[in-house]
Amino acid sequence: MENEEIIEEEPDQSLLTKRYTEKAVEFIRQHKNQPFFLYLPYTFPHVPLYASEAFLDKSLRGLYGDVVEEIDWSVGEILETLAELGIDKDTLVFFTSDNGPWLVKEIEGGSAGLLREGKHTTWEGGVREPAIAWWPDTISAGSVSRAVTSTMDLFPTLAGLAGVGIPDDREIDGYDLSPILKQEKETVRDSLLYYREDELFAVRMGPWKAHFKTVEKPYSGAIIEEHEPPLLFNIEVDPSERFNIAEDFPDILAEIKQVAERHRSNLDPKPCQLIKRLEPGD
Amino acid sequence: MENEEIIEEEPDQSLLTKRYTEKAVEFIRQHKNQPFFLYLPYTFPHVPLYASEAFLDKSLRGLYGDVVEEIDWSVGEILETLAELGIDKDTLVFFTSDNGPWLVKEIEGGSAGLLREGKHTTWEGGVREPAIAWWPDTISAGSVSRAVTSTMDLFPTLAGLAGVGIPDDREIDGYDLSPILKQEKETVRDSLLYYREDELFAVRMGPWKAHFKTVEKPYSGAIIEEHEPPLLFNIEVDPSERFNIAEDFPDILAEIKQVAERHRSNLDPKPCQLIKRLEPGD
């Protein structure tokens, strides 16, 4: 698809990353003299995996590594284009991903490294993603933020930086991250809510994360377990969520429960749009 | 202890890293005009953990992090002393560790990150360690070796570099790593043997690792499981040892079995010296 138009059926998938890159570079060249917004969602490393011939069997990490190296090449092409056109200092590039590894796909599903579990769960392996922001002269090279953020924050961040308004006829769940990017503030969120489908599973508050519910076998039957007291982890000390310390911090748990209550009392629930589409193995 | 002499009983453990550092720096200053060998085995991060007041509550990783940051400071003091004395280009500094995290000690036992299991097992989490070699002008800064090596290799490496012989009245299991450090060779070992106490548990050959035996509950009863066919992992592609691919690579397994057979046929077994000392919780 190009924007909302179907331009080709059953393309050679091994050429997708290359073709996206060429199209993205072409788009940037065409718009270099005006503000532009480019959203480039690579098909990979979602399965089925494909890399072009130039990258096949080149990495140490099998096909998955080849695919990631081609995406890395692609990002490099885009950054080089921006520099070549002299618009790199006026352009924010944000690189991130939507979820962790699809573990049942084994070696082709990726790895969450030291993080627990993967996609379709609210453990860190399912939800924590790399988030790299590049904007020479505005964002200090090599700076790291410990702020808790969400991909939902990208909408108000980009709208804010572009100087366009956001809709005021509805609640917007995202926050403008630009004070973090510009290192004016350490954080813009006190908490983050983790949903699985239409159920609130977990809440993050500073370094703390409380799981009210967790899921086992998310792809085959999805056994949901409720926790009372909730499981509590200090994610900064224990990013692998190995040690439940709920018993040691009842005050923190009470505070997190209040965050969840406040959220629920402000909520006007709508039917989950995703559920209808989800099928086993999806 | 200082060398083989007991100099103090029940010292204040929070001062140990600081005192080791002062002693090491003093030793280097005393020997700056002659060849010297300094072996500095820090007590920490072995439990019980202690950090000096200057490091307490300073890291994001709790007491374990504080302890590691103090060791990092200590290594910095030593490197700075070598530079200050102008002997940094004549001195090889090798930093490594003996085993992975003691998992039953939970948050105070450390973490193996994405590696499987911990101490007292032959999974990567038990045996794979950081190995950092620093020797300005001789070892290229930032270079990385994929060679499989062992702490047993340090003895012939250091003896070789010092120009002293190694005993020829016995088999030495280590290999001289200096061709790797100097980037003259990619590797000096074809294989590596993983023992638990006096049993051969696993064999590494290039990227492959075969487990003939594994242990469950290494600290409480130690249930040893034998595997036929052995479990087979490609450690470069799958460093977390998640996917047993023995069925897909019978030829590799056959070759690894030959490595084990050759080893056994050359072996003159001696009683395990460690077993006598090991007690539950040790």
Side-chain angles (χ1 to χ4, degrees), chain A residues 12-46:
Chain A
D12 177 351
Q13 295 205 54
S14 71
L15 300 177
L16 282 183
T17 300
K18 197 158 171 281
R19 289 177 66 189
Y20 292 167
T21 309
E22 286 163 1
K23 202 78 191 174
V25 166
E26 184 191 317
F27 175 88
I28 293 168
R29 289 190 190 280
Q30 279 164 358
H31 294 80
K32 64 177 176 181
N33 294 322
Q34 65 198 99
F36 64 83
F37 173 76
L38 169 65
Y39 172 52
L40 172 50
Y42 296 99
T43 295
F44 313 116
H46 201 291

Side-chain angles (χ1 to χ4, degrees), chain B residues 3-17:
Chain B
N3 293 325
E4 294 181 20
E5 195 190 338
I6 294 171
I7 58 166
E8 196 178 323
E9 302 267 12
E10 301 287 348
D12 177 351
Q13 294 204 54
S14 71
L15 300 178
L16 282 183
T17 300

Side-chain angles (χ1 to χ4, degrees), chain A residues 12-272:
Chain A
D12 177 351
Q13 295 205 54
S14 71
L15 300 177
L16 282 183
T17 300
K18 197 158 171 281
R19 289 177 66 189
Y20 292 167
T21 309
E22 286 163 1
K23 202 78 191 174
V25 166
E26 184 191 317
F27 175 88
I28 293 168
R29 289 190 190 280
Q30 279 164 358
H31 294 80
K32 64 177 176 181
N33 294 322
Q34 65 198 99
F36 64 83
F37 173 76
L38 169 65
Y39 172 52
L40 172 50
Y42 296 99
T43 295
F44 313 116
H46 201 291
V47 285
L49 299 173
Y50 289 92
S52 70
E53 220 180 290
F55 290 91
L56 222 50
D57 293 328
K58 291 290 189 294
S59 81
L60 290 176
R61 175 57 173 81
L63 182 54
Y64 192 96
D66 299 341
V67 165
V68 170
E69 289 196 5
E70 186 158 16
I71 294 171
D72 183 57
W73 163 83
S74 171
V75 173
E77 290 294 297
I78 288 163
L79 299 187
E80 274 175 32
T81 302
L82 295 171
E84 181 205 318
L85 299 176
I87 55 173
D88 49 328
K89 291 181 182 169
D90 302 316
T91 309
L92 167 63
V93 179
F94 203 97
F95 183 93
T96 188
S97 185
D98 57 347
N99 51 249
W102 196 359
L103 294 175
V104 289
K105 296 294 172 181
E106 302 200 333
I107 201 76
E108 300 215 329
S111 158
L114 59 70
L115 303 179
R116 183 163 171 178
E117 269 290 343
K119 181 174 168 171
H120 280 249
T121 78
T122 45
W123 296 103
E124 291 295 280
V127 295
R128 193 195 286 205
E129 296 309 313
I132 304 171
W134 182 88
W135 190 358
D137 287 3
T138 302
I139 299 173
S140 313
S143 56
V144 173
S145 166
R146 287 164 48 211
V148 178
T149 59
S150 159
T151 39
M152 286 188 295
D153 299 336
L154 289 176
F155 171 54
T157 303
L158 299 175
L161 290 169
V164 299
I166 55 174
D168 59 4
D169 62 345
R170 70 201 76 182
E171 284 290 326
I172 298 292
D173 293 315
Y175 289 75
D176 184 345
L177 300 177
S178 49
I180 297 174
L181 298 176
K182 295 175 178 172
Q183 294 181 286
E184 294 161 359
K185 279 191 183 176
E186 287 203 357
T187 188
V188 293
R189 275 181 178 277
D190 297 324
S191 61
L192 187 64
L193 306 162
Y194 301 85
Y195 270 79
R196 186 175 187 276
E197 296 170 359
D198 57 358
E199 292 182 276
L200 181 64
F201 264 47
V203 174
R204 172 88 183 254
M205 187 184 75
W208 307 98
K209 183 175 171 188
H211 294 265
F212 298 91
K213 297 181 180 179
T214 53
V215 62
E216 295 286 327
K217 305 191 175 181
Y219 311 106
S220 47
I223 302 154
I224 291 173
E225 212 181 327
E226 294 200 36
H227 304 284
E228 181 47 49
L231 311 176
L232 183 71
F233 300 89
N234 181 323
I235 299 295
E236 287 191 344
V237 174
D238 177 23
S240 304
E241 294 168 291
R242 292 191 290 161
F243 309 115
N244 174 19
I245 49 179
E247 280 187 15
D248 303 332
F249 296 94
D251 297 353
I252 299 286
L253 262 190
E255 219 180 312
I256 292 183
K257 282 181 176 178
Q258 281 179 6
V259 170
E261 276 320 305
R262 266 201 306 277
H263 162 67
R264 281 199 187 94
S265 68
N266 288 330
L267 195 68
D268 175 18
K270 299 278 184 285
C272 175

Side-chain angles (χ1 to χ4, degrees), chain B:
Chain B
M1 294 187 76
E2 191 172 320
N3 293 325
E4 294 181 20
E5 195 190 338
I6 294 171
I7 58 166
E8 196 178 323
E9 302 267 12
E10 301 287 348
D12 177 351
Q13 294 204 54
S14 71
L15 300 178
L16 282 183
T17 300
K18 198 158 172 280
R19 289 177 65 189
Y20 291 168
T21 309
E22 286 164 0
K23 202 78 191 176
V25 167
E26 183 191 316
F27 175 87
I28 293 168
R29 289 190 189 281
Q30 279 165 357
H31 294 81
K32 64 178 177 180
N33 294 322
Q34 65 198 97
F36 64 84
F37 173 75
L38 170 65
Y39 171 53
L40 172 51
Y42 296 99
T43 294
F44 313 116
H46 201 291
V47 285
L49 300 173
Y50 289 92
S52 70
E53 221 179 289
F55 290 90
L56 222 49
D57 293 328
K58 291 290 190 293
S59 81
L60 290 176
R61 177 56 172 83
L63 182 55
Y64 193 94
D66 299 341
V67 164
V68 170
E69 289 196 5
E70 186 159 13
I71 293 170
D72 183 57
W73 162 83
S74 171
V75 173
E77 290 292 299
I78 288 164
L79 299 187
E80 274 177 32
T81 301
L82 295 171
E84 181 205 317
L85 298 175
I87 55 174
D88 49 331
K89 292 181 182 169
D90 302 318
T91 309
L92 166 62
V93 179
F94 202 97
F95 184 93
T96 188
S97 185
D98 56 349
N99 52 250
W102 196 0
L103 294 175
V104 289
K105 296 293 172 182
E106 302 201 333
I107 201 74
E108 301 216 329
S111 158
L114 57 70
L115 304 178
R116 183 164 171 177
E117 269 287 346
K119 181 173 169 173
H120 279 250
T121 79
T122 46
W123 296 103
E124 292 294 277
V127 296
R128 193 196 285 205
E129 296 309 313
I132 304 170
W134 183 88
W135 190 359
D137 287 4
T138 302
I139 300 174
S140 313
S143 56
V144 174
S145 166
R146 287 164 48 210
V148 178
T149 59
S150 159
T151 39
M152 286 189 295
D153 299 335
L154 289 176
F155 171 56
T157 303
L158 299 175
L161 290 170
V164 299
I166 55 173
D168 59 5
D169 61 345
R170 68 201 77 181
E171 285 289 328
I172 299 292
D173 293 314
Y175 288 75
D176 185 345
L177 300 178
S178 49
I180 298 176
L181 297 177
K182 295 175 179 172
Q183 295 180 284
E184 294 161 0
K185 279 193 184 176
E186 287 202 358
T187 189
V188 294
R189 275 180 179 276
D190 297 325
S191 61
L192 187 64
L193 307 160
Y194 300 85
Y195 270 80
R196 185 175 188 275
E197 296 171 358
D198 56 358
E199 292 181 278
L200 181 64
F201 263 48
V203 174
R204 171 89 185 250
M205 186 183 77
W208 307 99
K209 183 175 172 187
H211 293 265
F212 297 91
K213 297 181 182 180
T214 52
V215 62
E216 294 286 329
K217 304 191 176 181
Y219 312 106
S220 47
I223 303 154
I224 292 172
E225 212 181 327
E226 295 200 34
H227 304 282
E228 181 48 50
L231 312 176
L232 183 71
F233 300 89
N234 181 324
I235 300 294
E236 287 191 344
V237 174
D238 178 23
S240 305
E241 293 167 292
R242 291 190 291 161
F243 309 115
N244 174 21
I245 48 179
E247 280 186 15
D248 304 331
F249 296 95
D251 296 353
I252 298 286
L253 261 190
E255 219 181 309
I256 292 183
K257 282 181 176 176
Q258 280 178 7
V259 170
E261 276 320 304
R262 266 201 306 279
H263 162 68
R264 282 200 185 91
S265 68
N266 288 331
L267 195 69
D268 175 17
K270 298 281 183 281
C272 175
Q273 293 178 295
L274 187 62
I275 269 177
K276 283 177 252 166
R277 227 198 59 198
L278 268 183
E279 280 159 38
D282 192 20

